[in-house]
Amino acid sequence: MELVPNNSLKCTTPEDGRRLAISLALQTSFAMQPDEHVQEIIRTTYANNPEDLLAASQVVATEFATIAAANDYWR
Amino acid sequence: MELVPNNSLKCTTPEDGRRLAISLALQTSFAMQPDEHVQEIIRTTYANNPEDLLAASQVVATEFATIAAANDYWR
Amino acid sequence: MELVPNNSLKCTTPEDGRRLAISLALQTSFAMQPDEHVQEIIRTTYANNPEDLLAASQVVATEFATIAAANDYWR
Amino acid sequence: MELVPNNSLKCTTPEDGRRLAISLALQTSFAMQPDEHVQEIIRTTYANNPEDLLAASQVVATEFATIAAANDYWR
Amino acid sequence: MELVPNNSLKCTTPEDGRRLAISLALQTSFAMQPDEHVQEIIRTTYANNPEDLLAASQVVATEFATIAAANDYWR
Amino acid sequence: MELVPNNSLKCTTPEDGRRLAISLALQTSFAMQPDEHVQEIIRTTYANNPEDLLAASQVVATEFATIAAANDYWR
């Protein structure tokens, strides 16, 4: 399983960086739970539970901080 | 769906940076739950639940840290 | 609604920075829940619930990290 | 109420920095809940609840990161 | 018990950095709970509980931030 | 009670840094709950509760970020 798409933190734009942050965040769950059926259940649970969405958003925010620094904040 | 408004982290003032932080924080939830009806339910849940508001505030604080660094803290 | 008092992260002292951190942290909740009556209920809930106070303290600590960096740690 | 003892982040040693981190972390709760009787109840709750102790430790770790940076990590 | 594989934060690629982040994150639990039977129960609990997966993902994101900085973001 | 062993963040290796991170993380709990009997109960609770282990791992990750920066990431 690939944990970092294209094995790179380089992103052309903040929008790309944001999509990478979401990928990284979700990929960690899938690395720890490789069963695709259980993954599907988990993804549905996340998407319909406000507290889970907030917790996932926190992970994304943390990943994005790293990606933004890696790209020198697209200055 | 656009994850970063105007595809930029540049903000003229801290106030603008703060608004962007709130946008980024909420946009992650909407990216994971694209159904607008469920989004509405979730938004109402957040707004009326003290613990959810605190969790959302934590996400906003984390996004703001990145935005502030990207703008060299408006020094 | 003003999210950043005086639209500035500049603070003369750590004490001022700390007060700004508390303002920013609470202001996010109020931006998401503009009803003043509900705000009052939420504020009372925070103040009397140990777990909420800890969660709020975490948000304040995160905001303060940004403010301290913005002020070059008052060195 | 004083939020930052001596209104300074300067600490001579890591040990002093750690004590300041604990002070800052607890002081936020007291600023939001000024009633000393309720404070006492909350402090006792924290000290006897493993999850609260962990949450408080997270706040302290976050405050300490800021204090350590402010003191250039006592290098 | 070894807490940091090869006693180094150096990683050739972001993918390697990501794997190290997951190792560091899980290794902390095992250091605090050395019984292998209990470890196995905990690992299974994590993998099947959405909230635990999110909490673990948050730890991984935090470890990855440090590893990425240590490797100058593989620039 | 000593909060920072040897009153220093200097560590020769990442492995030493990791051990210091675990010490700092646990020491905060003990500073807030000095009763050794209650400490023992809390330590056992942590070690057998998956959510507590994850929360403790998050604190350790945060402390390690500071320690790694203090040691210039052992570059």
Side-chain angles (χ1 to χ4, degrees), chain D residues 15 18-19 47 51 58 75, chain F residues 3-4 7 33 52 63 69:
Chain D
E15 185 77 17
R18 204 75 196 166
R19 292 193 192 284
E51 283 72 36
Q58 183 66 47
R75 272 176 199 145
Chain F
L3 291 171
V4 182
N7 199 3
Q33 174 48 272
D52 286 359
E63 302 285 12

Side-chain angles (χ1 to χ4, degrees), chain D residues 13-16 18-19 22 26 46-51 53-54 56-58 60-62 64-65 68 73-75, chain F residues 1-4 7-10 24-25 28-29 31-33 38 42 45-46 52 55-56 58-59 62-63 66 69-70:
Chain D
T13 66
E15 185 77 17
D16 290 342
R18 204 75 196 166
R19 292 193 192 284
I22 294 176
L26 296 179
Y46 286 173
N48 290 288
N49 182 304
E51 283 72 36
L53 280 173
L54 284 169
S57 299
Q58 183 66 47
V60 170
T62 306
F64 184 65
Y73 303 98
W74 299 278
R75 272 176 199 145
Chain F
M1 175 186 282
E2 196 189 44
L3 291 171
V4 182
N7 199 3
S8 170
L9 299 184
K10 289 285 147 65
L24 290 183
T28 311
S29 290
M32 284 187 285
Q33 174 48 272
V38 183
I42 285 170
T45 305
Y46 286 173
D52 286 359
Q58 183 65 47
V59 181
T62 307
E63 302 285 12
T66 303

Side-chain angles (χ1 to χ4, degrees), chain A residues 13-16 18-19 22 26 43 46-58 60-62 64-65 68-69 73-75, chain B residues 1-4 7-10 24-25 28-29 31-33 38 42 45-46 49 52 55-56 58-59 62-63 66 69-72:
Chain A
T13 67
E15 184 78 18
D16 290 342
R18 204 74 194 167
R19 291 193 193 284
I22 294 177
L26 296 179
R43 212 191 300 241
Y46 285 174
N48 291 288
N49 182 302
E51 282 73 35
D52 286 358
L53 280 173
L54 285 168
S57 299
Q58 183 66 47
V60 170
T62 307
F64 186 65
Y73 303 98
W74 299 278
R75 271 176 201 146
Chain B
M1 173 187 282
E2 199 189 43
L3 292 169
V4 182
N7 199 3
S8 170
L9 299 184
K10 290 284 148 62
L24 290 182
T28 311
S29 290
M32 285 187 284
Q33 173 48 271
V38 182
I42 286 170
T45 305
Y46 286 173
N49 182 304
D52 287 357
Q58 183 65 46
V59 181
T62 307
E63 302 286 10
T66 303
N71 289 282
D72 200 22

Side-chain angles (χ1 to χ4, degrees), chain E residues 39-55:
Chain E
Q39 281 181 17
E40 190 49 41
I41 294 170
I42 285 169
R43 211 191 301 240
T44 307
T45 305
Y46 285 173
N48 291 288
N49 182 303
E51 283 72 37
D52 286 358
L53 280 174
L54 284 168

Side-chain angles (χ1 to χ4, degrees), chain B residues 15 18-19 47 51 58 75, chain C residues 3-4 7 33 52 63 69:
Chain B
E15 184 77 18
R18 204 73 195 165
R19 292 194 191 283
E51 282 73 34
Q58 183 65 46
R75 271 175 202 145
Chain C
L3 292 169
V4 183
N7 199 3
Q33 173 49 270
D52 286 357
E63 302 286 11

Side-chain angles (χ1 to χ4, degrees), chain F residues 16-70:
Chain F
D16 291 342
R18 204 74 195 165
R19 290 192 193 285
L20 177 57
I22 294 177
S23 287
L24 290 183
L26 296 179
Q27 213 60 10
T28 311
S29 290
F30 301 155
M32 284 187 285
Q33 174 48 272
D35 183 304
E36 288 187 22
H37 179 62
V38 183
Q39 281 182 17
E40 190 49 41
I41 294 170
I42 285 170
R43 211 191 300 241
T44 308
T45 305
Y46 286 173
N48 291 287
N49 182 303
E51 283 71 37
D52 286 359
L53 280 173
L54 284 168
S57 298
Q58 183 65 47
V59 181
V60 170
T62 307
E63 302 285 12
F64 185 65
T66 303
I67 294 164

